[in-house]
Structure formats: C-alpha cells, structure tokens
C-alpha cells in the first residue's frame, strides 16, 4: 500500500487502462465546487460504475427488506427486544452486570421501539445498515485496488447469502459490519496518505464497531498490527512517524474506555469454563469459511482459490496490500480457533471478514480480464455473483429460516386449556415463546426448568395438572449432563415437533 498519493494515482491509472475501464471514452462532468442535484445526475450519467453500483444497492435493498418480518423471532432476537425495553441506563447496567453484548445496538433498538415491536421494526435497522454496506465495500475495493475490484466486491456482498441472512436479523452483526467497513475504508486511506484525519476516523469508527459487538476488537487489533509491521522501518528511523497511528489508537481507546473496562471482566468470565455451545477446533475455520462463502461447499473451494489468486495479483503490485488481505483473513481465524476451547465461537461473530474476503476475491479480476480481453469482463463477474446466489435465494424467502415460534405457539394455544402447565426448557426460551403465546389468554401456568430435579419438583407440586413441556436443543447447553432430557424420556410423551422446537406432554 503506497505511502505517497502520487504513486497510488499512477498505479490506479495503469490498472484501469490495462484491465478495462468501463468509463473509457465517456466524458466526465466538469469538476465544480458547487454540490447540486444536477452535478450528481451528470456524474451518474457519465459513469457506468455508479450506474451499476446504484443498481446493486437497489437490488440489495429489495433482498434485505423483502419479507423482513416473515420469519419468527428466535431466541437472540427476542433477547434484543427484552434489553431494548429497558431504559438507556438499564441497558448499560445489564452490560456492566454480565450481558455478553455491548449496549449500542440495544440503545438504537430502544429508539426503534417508538415505531412498535413488530418483527419488521426490530429488523429494520440491521437491514438498512446492511444495504448501506454495499456502497461502502465498493469504495473500499476502489481505494484498495480499482473501480473494477470495488464493483465486483460490492456485487458479492449484494447477493451474499450470509450477509442477507444477518441483515434480516434483529442483532448487531450487520450494524457492526457496516461500521467496521467504514473503519477499514479509512484505514486503507490512512495507510496510503498517512493523513491524520483518516487515522482518527479509523479509530473512531473502530470504536463504534466495538460498541456494537465485542468481537470487533479482533480485526481492529489486526489492522493496528498490520500498520506496525508495514511501517516498522519508518518508525525505527524516526519514532515521530508513528504519531498519526498513535492518534488512531488514542481515538479508539478514549471512545471505548468505559466498554474496555467492562470487557476485561466479561472476557475473564466468558473464558472461565469450557463452552457448552458453539463450534470448537478446526471446525471453526471450516464453518466460518463455508458460511461466508454462501453455505455451499461447491462455492467454498473456488472462492478460496480466487482469494489466493487475488492475493497473488495484489502482491505483484502492492505487497503491503497483500499482507493486509492475509493478516485480516488468517489472524482472526487463528484467534477464533484458539479461543474456541475457552469461549463459545460462532461464524457470525466473524462477519467482519466479508469486506476483506470479497475484496480479495475481486482482486483476482485481472485473471478474468486476461481470459476475455474485454473491458466488460466485470459484468461477467457481477453476473456470476448473481448466479451463485440463485440456489439460496430460490428457497430463502419461502422456507422458514429460524425456529417457527409463531406457528408453534398457535398450535400450543390450540392444545392447552385453563389450569394446564406450560414448562419451558431451558427457561430462557420463554422469551421467543411469550412473544407469540400468552398464558394469560389460555389460563395456563408457565414455568421454567433446566434439570431433572426441577422437573420432578414441578410434578410433585402440581401432581394433578396436565403439563406441556416445550423443549429446544439449547437444553444441552444449559444442562450438558442430559439429566432433563432423561427425565422427559421416562416421565413424558413426545407430542410433536416444529423445526427445532419439541413438545412433550405429561404421561
């Protein structure tokens, strides 16, 4: 990543000339200091890149907002609602008291509750920020390599099954990715120009991403490490060359200080025992790469090969940029592999890999251009991004993607009667259940249990009441011994299943 703006401009010109500039031959509008609607229209008319980007952003909007409220809320989304209902101070106190998610997303959702508590409203903010990430990644790719790379990376994100899924979930993953993408953008700019403003903005947007999700601290640390490695020679020759990088670190620490203090304690708690859920070992790496590649082994292999090819092409012209791709993909995966033995690890925590992964894949574009020798080769890459997502999109909007608590609750309500017991295993599964099911309406008594002893105590207390036991696979995380499931096998009858929700009745 060149340190002088002049070098970067020359490389960009050579890249576009040799690999096909879609705007070659078009007359760009005369630059003007006046920002007006006419200027914007003229810019769009003269740039095929902007035209395609607008089309991709609009497609991304449709894919992320269509059927936004269709799936039932699942446990984590119901938990979002529970925290968002608290006061702003109460949300912070929950984080300081042991909630393993930062408060910023809950604060924003607290404001969204002014518009209601529907599934659509709860998912609106992630969907909106998910759409905005598309042009953000275009600019990252453009700054990192050229406009062709930016457009292909934006297309890959637009039709990414992984990103579409989490843009339609009322959790902080898509919002965290948006703000981390802005941090990455300003890091790329700062690495090239060493401009203090870009370094500070990198630090500030990194802090916002961290306030969205704790695991954002990992890629932020990797970027700082990359800066230290690539600037080591300059820093050794004169320590003042580290001044602007230090500004970014100070900006991050100052903006994150209250949360950093809380994080240390939460990390110690989180790693104090062996995790009872999540993915462990090498499967963390495989599952993460599989999911960010679109949940398909058929896509995983060519994507990895294209990423490696993209790194190779980048290495020939920009070794610091190639190191950035390597550092940002390898180090977070290795860190997750190590941490998986001490804390729950799930691929969605690494959603921040998407911009680097897609920019790396898009950087293999010179190979495609060499094959077709036509500047419109970039259109083939965009079309390929659409085609590989087709199998996913063909069923995504017609098949429930989360446990169907809405349908289950309706069925449960048709079976229960006044005086019946509804026992939820584990107890926290009452959050998504109660979003749709009202025991007050049915006249039932709702209880929770985790162990066989607790189930037996409920039976002893209410020996003459009919009981309905609502169970999910999370019971094995809450009760790894399997004691509660063993009790159900002996004392209850299986009454049916709806996706991952199981119903038992008293024998």
């Amino acid at each position: 990543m060149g340190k002088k703006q002049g070098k970067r401009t020359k490389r960009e010109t050579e890249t576009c000339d040799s690999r096909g500039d879609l705007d070659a031959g078009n007359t760009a509008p005369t630059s003007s200091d006046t920002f007006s609607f006419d200027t914007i229209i003229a810019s769009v008319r003269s740039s095929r890149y902007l035209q395609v980007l607008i089309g991709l952003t609009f497609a991304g909007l449709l894919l992320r907002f269509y059927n936004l409220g269709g799936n039932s809320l699942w446990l984590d989304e119901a938990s979002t609602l529970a925290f968002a209902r608290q006061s702003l101070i109460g949300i912070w106190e929950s984080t300081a008291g042991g909630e393993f998610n930062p408060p910023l997303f809950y604060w924003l959702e607290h404001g969204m509750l002014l518009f209601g508590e529907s599934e659509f409203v709860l998912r609106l903010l992630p969907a909106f920020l998910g759409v905005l990430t598309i042009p953000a990644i275009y600019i990252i790719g453009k700054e990192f390599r050229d406009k062709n790379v930016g457009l292909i990376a934006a297309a890959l994100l637009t039709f990414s099954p992984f990103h579409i899924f989490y843009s339609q979930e009322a959790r902080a993953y898509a919002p965290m990715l948006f703000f981390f993408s802005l941090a990455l953008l300003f890091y790329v700019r700062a690495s090239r120009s060493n401009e203090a403003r870009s370094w500070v903005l990198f630090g500030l947007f990194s802090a916002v991403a961290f306030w969205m999700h704790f695991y954002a601290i990992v890629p932020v640390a990797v970027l700082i490490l990359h800066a230290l490695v690539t600037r080591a020679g300059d820093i050794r020759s004169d320590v003042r060359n580290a001044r602007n990088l230090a500004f970014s670190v100070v900006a991050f620490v100052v903006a994150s200080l209250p949360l950093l203090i809380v994080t240390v304690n939460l990390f110690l708690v989180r790693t104090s025992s062996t995790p009872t859920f999540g993915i462990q070992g090498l499967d963390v790496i495989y599952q993460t790469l599989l999911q960010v590649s679109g949940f398909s082994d058929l896509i995983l292999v060519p994507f990895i090969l294209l990423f490696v090819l993209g790194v190779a092409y980048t290495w020939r012209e920009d070794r610091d940029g190639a190191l950035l791709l390597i550092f940002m993909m390898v180090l977070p995966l290795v860190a997750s592999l190590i941490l998986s033995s001490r804390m729950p690890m799930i691929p969605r925590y690494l959603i921040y890999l998407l911009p680097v992964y897609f920019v790396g894949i898009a950087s293999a574009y010179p190979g495609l251009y060499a094959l077709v020798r036509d500047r419109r080769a970039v259109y083939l890459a965009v079309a390929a991004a659409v085609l590989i997502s087709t199998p996913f999109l063909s069923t995504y909007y017609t098949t429930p993607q989360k446990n169907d608590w809405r349908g289950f609750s309706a069925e449960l309500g048709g079976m229960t009667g006044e005086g019946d017991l509804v026992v939820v295993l584990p107890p926290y599964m009452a959050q998504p259940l109660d979003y749709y099911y009202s025991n007050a309406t049915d006249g039932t008594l709702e209880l929770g249990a985790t162990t066989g002893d607790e189930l037996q105590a409920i039976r002893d207390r209410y020996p003459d009441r009919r009981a309905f036991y609502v169970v999910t696979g999370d019971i094995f995380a809450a009760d790894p011994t399997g004691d509660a499931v063993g009790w159900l096998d002996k004392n209850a009858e299986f009454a049916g299943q709806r996706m991952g929700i199981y119903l038992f009745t008293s024998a």
Side-chain angles (χ1 to χ4, degrees), residues 38 135 188 244 253 307-308 341 360 373 399 418 472:
D38 290 339
V188 172
N244 289 343
V253 171
F307 180 84
V308 173
S341 64
R373 290 293 177 181
T399 305
E418 187 171 354
T472 71

Side-chain angles (χ1 to χ4, degrees), residues 180 184 187 218-231 307 311 315 319-335 350 352-353 356:
F180 177 72
L184 180 61
Y187 176 79
V218 172
V220 172
V222 171
L223 291 177
I224 293 172
L225 175 63
H226 176 266
L228 291 173
V229 170
T230 55
R231 294 176 173 272
F307 180 84
V311 171
W315 183 269
R319 293 194 174 185
D320 289 351
L323 284 176
L324 177 61
L325 295 176
I326 295 169
F327 276 32
M328 278 297 299
M329 282 301 297
V330 174
L331 295 184
L333 288 172
V334 171
L350 285 83
Y352 54 75
L353 295 179
V356 177

Side-chain angles (χ1 to χ4, degrees), residues 258-412:
L259 194 61
L260 286 170
I261 296 172
V262 170
T263 302
V264 173
N265 181 60
L266 290 177
F267 178 77
L268 294 175
V269 173
R270 194 74 158 180
T271 59
S272 62
S273 59
T274 303
T276 57
F277 68 96
I279 305 172
Q280 286 79 45
L282 290 173
D283 203 33
V284 170
I285 296 178
Y286 168 69
Q287 286 295 331
T288 299
L289 292 175
L290 176 69
Q291 293 188 27
V292 299
S293 299
F295 305 96
S296 171
D297 285 304
L298 294 176
I299 301 173
L300 170 62
V301 174
F303 265 23
I304 291 178
L305 292 176
L306 287 171
F307 180 84
V308 173
L309 183 61
V311 171
Y313 276 118
T314 304
W315 183 269
R316 295 192 310 180
E317 301 177 10
D318 182 5
R319 293 194 174 185
D320 289 351
L323 284 176
L324 177 61
L325 295 176
I326 295 169
F327 276 32
M328 278 297 299
M329 282 301 297
V330 174
L331 295 184
L333 288 172
V334 171
S336 301
L337 170 64
I338 296 171
L339 290 172
S340 68
S341 64
R342 303 306 305 169
M343 62 181 287
M345 193 58 57
I346 303 173
R348 59 179 178 263
Y349 298 168
L350 285 83
I351 194 171
Y352 54 75
L353 295 179
L354 287 179
V356 177
Y357 191 45
F358 290 156
V359 166
I361 293 170
S363 295
Y365 171 73
L368 174 62
Y369 181 78
L371 289 175
V372 300
R373 290 293 177 181
D374 190 304
R375 66 179 183 172
R376 290 167 293 187
V378 67
Y379 293 144
L380 295 177
V382 172
V386 177
L387 290 175
I388 61 179
S389 68
T390 300
F392 168 81
L393 295 175
S394 64
T395 60
Y396 176 72
Y397 298 105
T398 57
T399 305
Q401 302 296 314
K402 311 174 192 294
N403 275 339
D404 185 13
W405 286 100
R406 185 190 295 118
F408 175 85
S409 299
E411 292 179 358
L412 180 65

Side-chain angles (χ1 to χ4, degrees), residues 51-214:
Q51 293 165 10
V52 176
L53 179 61
I54 291 171
L56 289 174
T57 304
F58 182 70
L61 185 147
L62 292 179
L63 292 172
R64 285 154 183 79
F65 276 83
Y66 179 72
N67 200 37
L68 187 59
N71 283 293
S72 300
L73 293 187
W74 72 293
L75 172 63
D76 284 9
E77 292 181 297
S79 179
T80 291
L81 176 58
F83 282 108
R85 284 171 172 168
Q86 300 179 28
S87 66
L88 298 181
I89 294 176
I91 291 171
W92 169 252
E93 290 175 343
S94 294
T95 298
E99 161 60 12
F100 292 111
N101 289 281
L104 180 54
F105 180 65
Y106 295 147
W107 283 335
L108 295 176
E109 287 287 76
H110 178 84
M112 292 300 296
L113 296 186
L114 293 173
F115 303 99
E117 296 185 356
S118 68
E119 297 95 336
F120 182 90
V121 169
L122 292 172
R123 295 167 179 157
L124 182 59
L125 184 62
F128 177 68
L129 294 180
V131 174
L132 292 184
T133 309
I134 295 170
I137 287 191
Y138 166 76
I139 300 173
I140 292 171
K142 175 175 174 289
E143 294 279 337
F144 182 79
R145 297 287 290 166
D146 58 42
K147 290 182 286 187
N148 289 328
V149 168
L151 203 60
I152 296 169
L156 289 170
L157 184 78
T158 298
F159 301 101
S160 165
F162 190 72
H163 190 250
I164 292 171
F165 183 91
Y166 287 108
S167 294
Q168 292 200 322
E169 181 163 289
R171 298 296 284 174
Y173 307 113
M176 181 264 276
L177 174 61
F178 171 71
F179 288 106
F180 177 72
S181 295
L182 295 181
L184 180 61
L185 169 61
F186 284 105
Y187 176 79
V188 172
R189 287 182 174 176
S191 297
R192 298 191 186 284
S193 67
N194 200 29
E195 180 190 28
R197 175 176 173 272
S198 293
W199 280 113
V200 171
L201 288 173
F202 158 63
L204 292 176
F205 281 117
S206 294
V208 177
F210 180 55
W211 276 91
M212 281 288 181
H213 196 277
F214 285 124

